[in-house]
Amino acid sequence: MPTAADAIAGRREPLPLVPEHQANGHSMLPPWPAGMAMLTVGMGCFWGAERLFWTQPGVYVTAVGYAGGTTPNPTYEEVCTGRTGHAEVVRIVFDPQVVALETLLTLFWENHDPTQGMRQGNDIGTQYRSVLFYHDEEQAEAIRRSAEQFGAALATVGKGSITTDILPEAPFYYAETYHQQYLAKNPQGYCGLKGTGVSCVL
């Protein structure tokens, strides 16, 4: 991870964004309907991860972006240098009366390999690390509990320890519009999601 002294300076203004979600027409920008909750996840390349969640009943809207680093309002090219410290992440806005947090966490754990450190398969770099950002303490407890349970399941098949960062909410910087819902716009585009084959029972 870069130090603050090594990090790219970034910019004050957010990157331009067309806020309409290409798959469901909802706005990616707040405010959202009353009662919505939020979860932010990093599972490697954000294209396939976003599609995984926007297709889930109860998810109101998703957006891809950058979080967990130092550089304000980074570009994709800057993040890819490894000098911003950010992970590629998906912000998930969901209705907890329709879809439980545990369902989203099960999708998270089962659809990538959380033991790989700064990579997912052939995608290597700080931006591809596994990370969960919690938005309140109740959510943090559920996330930590799920990590313990899935870590035990991985251990039974000889997989390594979970390297997923579990962190408090960090500034979320929206990625460029062309990255948003990329696989809705390019159905045959790259999707790097690949789980371990281990089931997560929460």
Side-chain angles (χ1 to χ4, degrees):
M1 294 288 288
T3 65
D6 294 332
I8 293 172
R11 54 202 49 78
R12 292 184 179 181
E13 295 299 318
L15 302 179
L17 179 72
V18 176
E20 182 180 351
H21 194 283
Q22 292 297 299
N24 64 25
H26 295 159
S27 177
M28 292 181 280
L29 297 173
W32 296 294
M36 294 295 114
M38 189 160 57
L39 178 68
T40 304
V41 306
M43 306 166 62
C45 176
F46 48 23
W47 291 345
E50 186 186 20
R51 181 174 62 183
L52 174 70
F53 290 103
W54 90 55
T55 58
Q56 177 66 37
V59 170
Y60 177 77
V61 77
T62 57
V64 296
Y66 314 112
T70 301
T71 300
N73 298 299
T75 66
Y76 178 72
E77 289 74 17
E78 289 169 344
V79 170
C80 287
T81 68
R83 292 181 53 223
T84 73
H86 292 292
E88 293 188 17
V89 298
V90 182
R91 171 185 273 180
I92 307 157
V93 179
F94 65 100
D95 184 345
Q97 300 301 313
V98 178
V99 58
L101 173 63
E102 286 75 14
T103 298
L104 301 180
L105 291 174
T106 295
L107 290 172
F108 171 81
W109 293 119
E110 290 186 346
N111 285 278
H112 78 301
D113 186 342
T115 71
Q116 293 195 341
M118 301 291 185
R119 68 182 298 167
Q120 277 297 301
N122 292 327
D123 293 330
I124 300 172
T126 56
Q127 71 269 35
Y128 298 119
R129 68 188 184 273
S130 175
V131 60
L132 282 160
F133 293 97
Y134 56 85
H135 296 267
D136 56 50
E137 281 305 312
E138 182 178 357
Q139 196 176 77
E141 291 178 11
I143 288 171
R144 294 187 185 109
R145 190 163 56 246
S146 73
E148 291 176 4
Q149 291 174 265
F150 193 58
L154 290 172
T156 64
V157 296
K159 294 289 292 183
S161 299
I162 286 176
T163 61
T164 304
D165 288 328
I166 298 173
L167 302 168
E169 180 180 5
F172 173 89
Y173 301 105
Y174 287 89
E176 296 85 341
T177 294
Y178 78 91
H179 285 299
Q180 304 294 340
Q181 300 86 57
Y182 182 86
L183 293 180
K185 304 167 187 172
N186 303 277
Q188 304 306 314
Y190 170 75
C191 175
L193 286 186
K194 184 177 181 181
T196 59
V198 177
S199 296
C200 178
V201 180
L202 301 180

